[in-house]
Amino acid sequence: MQQPPPVKGQPPAPSPFATLKKRRARENEFFKQEGVAAVLRDSNKPHGLFNMTGIGGEKFDIGVIPTAFVTGEGYRMLFRMLKHGKVEVEIEMTNSFGDKPMDVYNTVAEIRGSERPDEVVILGAHLDSWDLGTGSTDNGTGSMAVLEAARTLAKLNLKPKRRSVLCCSPEKKKGL
């Protein structure tokens, strides 16, 4: 439930994001003092889905301590095992970071219209994903719909009346 606004004259409540940032900073400081090698966090999603939310803050900095998400099922199994004693986990985590932009490419296909080539039908999707979506449905299903439309048109040797443009972009924020 959302907290109501403060009474006139009272200071505003801290933002939930600011509160989370402070808590994470305290946790990271504690982990550093304790010599923690890595942090495993619960993805908090069912059916083996992972969470992708970064831990480096809003600037996507490198985290202070290596952190990985574990499936909800795996995390709960570790929790149950810890009730019976010490648990040893081996982690192999390799990442790379770059300070230069990365080239990404749009994929665009066009089928010329047989009768009305100046009229255009556009079918498009993006190829990124979001951890609050349900995995491949953001937007794997949209990308598959574009590819399946292209495959169907080719397989059935259909000649659309209007020009058809089929597009896949690597991210939705910037578009084609």
Side-chain angles (χ1 to χ4, degrees), residues 106-121:
N106 295 318
T107 302
V108 180
E110 183 176 316
I111 302 169
R112 296 191 200 290
S114 61
E115 294 178 23
R116 299 180 187 154
D118 293 339
E119 295 180 14
V120 181
V121 175

Side-chain angles (χ1 to χ4, degrees), residues 147-167:
L147 294 172
E148 185 61 16
R151 189 196 70 78
T152 302
L153 289 170
K155 180 90 172 167
L156 298 176
N157 200 25
L158 296 175
K159 306 294 181 207
K161 292 179 182 179
R162 292 166 183 81
R163 181 169 48 134
S164 300
V165 179
L166 300 102
C167 321

Side-chain angles (χ1 to χ4, degrees), residues 62-115:
I62 297 171
V64 178
I65 296 171
T67 302
F69 284 100
V70 179
T71 64
E73 294 84 354
Y75 191 86
R76 288 186 292 279
M77 180 186 69
L78 289 171
F79 182 81
R80 288 190 305 272
M81 290 170 66
L82 280 167
K83 288 182 177 182
H84 300 285
K86 182 179 176 182
V87 176
E88 191 171 310
V89 177
E90 182 177 323
I91 299 172
E92 182 178 335
M93 189 182 328
T94 55
N95 294 302
S96 63
F97 297 90
D99 57 358
K100 296 179 183 169
M102 178 180 264
D103 289 331
V104 294
Y105 302 94
N106 295 318
T107 302
V108 180
E110 183 176 316
I111 302 169
R112 296 191 200 290
S114 61
E115 294 178 23

